[in-house]
Amino acid sequence: MAYDIPEIAKNVFSVGSKDPNRKFFDALIRLHKGTSYNAYLIKGNDKVALIDTVNPGFEEEFLCKLVQLIDLEKLDYLIMNHAEPDHATAIPLVIGKSSATLIATEKGAKIAEEYYKVPKERIRAVKEGDSIELGGKTLRFIDAPWLHWPETMFTYLVEDKILFPCDFFGAHNAYDTYDEDAEDLLHDAKSYFAEIMMPFRAMGRKALDKIKDMDIKIIAPSHGPIYKNPQKIIPEYIKWNNGETENKVVIVYASMWGSTEKMVEVIKETLMAEGVKVVPYNLVDADIGEMTKDLVDSRGIVIGSPCVLNSIHPLAVYAVHLIKVLKPPVKYGVFLGSYGWGALAAKQATELLKGTNIELLGAVEVKGRPTKDDNDKVTELGKRLSAKIIGG
Ligand code: FEO
């Protein structure tokens, strides 16, 4: 069977795999369009290089595509931009079937040796600005660590002006090869950014600074569509990595008997009346990928939870923990909760949020159903939150 292999520029082929059946990523984010594991084969006049490989389960398809294009034994270079298994699993196969030299950063070289058992003599570590010549095609390497593992780097094809940034600029989409065909691509890219890149915004800014003066005609990431128009995604990445926030509040809550939910309704109405955009997520059936996407540019957060078994609700613990580890640029937060006999949830939420940059403006915890007085307190807290949100 011959595969249809996109040639994204002359002698530059997209040889990865599409995985429309994948439902979750990192056992965390629900995938609505599956994902792809993009890899690229570049044929120069003299030499051939492969950038990255594929996820477990796609090795056979991958090898078939490679042998459709080249004599695999004669592959010269295998470039490992990133060592995570969704891109590196087929490295041992390719190394075993060819005499290729594996190119990686110094940290990547150690991982290739340790995880993928690549013999030391087959590995070449590269530094920022190093390049290899393929004959009419030059590959230059850009050190871009912690995007999102320590060993990550970008590769730039000088003559064709193509940037291969691996996970950076990625999106989960198994269907569309190019940006121009992909609906809601920025939505999908933002959701991807939230889970994978948001915790590393400082490193993202450094990488963006490195590429800002480069002439980039195509961005070919390792997940999702290839950008023929890089200006579709670069300005968004600048905003997201800078932590630019909007007059927006994400509400994450769990409610057992409706009291917390009632308070959530009151604060939602208050915030909206003050001109703040509000995005509520009932944690019992929230799409975590959507919730984290909304945290990318939210200035505020409302956490709502009853006290159950002397504790903040387990779903709220999960949400607060996610907020802590994903490090969104949220500045202000409030807590709303209800209890039967012990008011402990607000105190625990405050403890859980320690170490973040979120300023907790206050909490309202009520016994049983919220009364008019309680609702008034929620409204007052909502007004304080909206004043901060609108203040910037
Ligand atoms: Fe797509 Fe970090 O691997």
Side-chain angles (χ1 to χ4, degrees):
M1 156 185 180
Y3 285 95
D4 183 16
I5 301 173
E7 187 171 8
I8 69 169
K10 179 123 181 82
N11 287 327
V12 180
F13 301 90
S14 182
V15 290
S17 297
K18 294 185 189 303
D19 188 359
N21 297 320
R22 187 158 179 170
K23 301 293 179 222
F24 281 91
F25 206 80
D26 291 342
L28 180 64
I29 300 295
R30 185 179 288 280
L31 302 181
H32 299 281
K33 298 176 187 167
T35 194
S36 67
Y37 318 107
N38 302 340
Y40 301 94
L41 187 80
I42 301 159
K43 289 162 91 169
N45 295 329
D46 310 315
K47 293 185 173 177
V48 180
L50 173 63
I51 299 180
D52 293 321
T53 70
V54 286
N55 194 72
F58 292 87
E59 297 93 334
E60 197 180 323
E61 173 189 326
F62 184 57
L63 289 180
C64 286
K65 285 181 177 176
L66 294 179
V67 298
Q68 199 174 310
L69 293 168
I70 56 163
D71 176 354
L72 188 52
E73 279 180 22
K74 292 183 181 156
L75 180 73
D76 296 282
Y77 300 108
L78 171 51
I79 293 155
M80 187 185 79
N81 274 342
H82 180 23
E84 197 164 8
D86 50 341
H87 311 294
T89 286
I91 283 177
L93 269 176
V94 173
I95 289 293
K97 288 181 180 294
S98 73
S99 53
T101 298
L102 184 132
I103 306 264
T105 61
E106 205 164 311
K107 283 187 178 138
K110 288 199 181 90
I111 295 175
E113 208 184 327
E114 189 182 352
Y115 289 8
Y116 300 109
K117 309 298 175 207
V118 181
K120 204 173 191 156
E121 61 277 12
R122 298 278 302 274
I123 302 174
R124 179 172 145 197
V126 289
K127 305 185 300 295
E128 171 80 23
D130 284 356
S131 61
I132 55 173
E133 294 294 333
L134 306 179
K137 294 201 188 283
T138 310
L139 294 173
R140 203 170 79 212
F141 305 107
I142 299 160
D143 200 28
W146 286 108
L147 296 173
H148 58 124
W149 277 21
E151 84 300 346
T152 47
M153 70 173 185
F154 299 167
T155 298
Y156 179 62
L157 174 49
V158 176
E159 290 78 2
D160 296 285
K161 303 177 174 42
I162 304 175
L163 183 71
F164 302 93
C166 204
D167 284 342
F168 210 58
F169 299 119
H172 291 306
N173 174 334
Y175 297 96
D176 302 301
T177 301
Y178 295 108
D179 58 334
E180 61 202 14
D181 304 318
E183 273 182 33
D184 302 324
L185 178 53
L186 292 182
H187 169 282
D188 298 336
K190 192 176 183 183
S191 175
Y192 183 91
F193 174 87
E195 192 227 334
I196 306 291
M197 295 296 165
M198 189 160 65
F200 305 99
R201 286 185 291 119
M203 302 311 286
R205 290 195 293 273
K206 282 188 186 172
L208 287 167
D209 198 50
K210 279 189 186 183
I211 65 169
K212 76 174 190 296
D213 295 323
M214 286 169 56
D215 190 1
I216 299 170
K217 208 167 106 194
I218 294 174
I219 293 177
S222 60
H223 295 284
I226 294 161
Y227 289 90
K228 285 183 180 173
N229 176 10
Q231 282 312 310
K232 190 179 277 180
I233 187 67
I234 288 173
E236 301 301 317
Y237 253 58
I238 291 171
K239 276 196 300 190
W240 300 340
N241 280 285
N242 282 344
E244 289 181 24
T245 55
E246 298 177 1
N247 289 348
K248 177 175 160 189
V249 168
V250 169
I251 303 179
V252 291
Y253 71 99
S255 189
M256 293 166 67
W257 296 103
S259 296
T260 301
E261 189 159 45
K262 176 69 191 149
M263 298 161 81
V264 162
E265 280 303 311
V266 172
I267 205 160
K268 183 179 143 195
E269 294 302 321
T270 307
L271 291 164
M272 286 168 63
E274 300 289 326
V276 174
K277 182 178 175 189
V278 183
V279 196
Y281 287 98
N282 184 340
L283 292 165
V284 77
D285 57 3
D287 183 324
I288 296 301
E290 284 295 299
M291 185 192 94
T292 54
K293 171 195 68 75
D294 274 313
L295 289 169
V296 168
D297 52 13
S298 278
R299 200 167 295 148
I301 182 117
V302 174
I303 299 156
S305 170
C307 186
V308 51
L309 301 170
N310 292 325
S311 170
I312 184 172
H313 194 284
L315 288 174
V317 174
Y318 174 52
V320 173
H321 180 73
L322 264 183
I323 290 164
K324 192 164 186 173
V325 296
L326 294 178
K327 300 183 172 66
V330 171
K331 291 182 177 175
Y332 308 106
V334 301
F335 181 86
L336 303 175
S338 56
Y339 61 94
W341 50 91
L344 293 165
K347 187 165 171 275
Q348 288 178 6
T350 307
E351 285 294 316
L352 289 170
L353 281 170
K354 270 188 186 155
T356 70
N357 291 322
I358 300 173
E359 181 188 348
L360 273 175
L361 301 176
V364 177
E365 264 189 305
V366 308
K367 189 167 187 173
R369 302 293 290 174
T371 62
K372 181 176 179 313
D373 278 357
D374 294 326
N375 287 339
D376 289 346
K377 284 182 196 158
V378 174
T379 301
E380 193 273 328
L381 186 57
K383 284 183 176 170
R384 274 173 51 210
L385 177 60
S386 61
K388 287 282 194 180
I389 297 293
I390 290 163

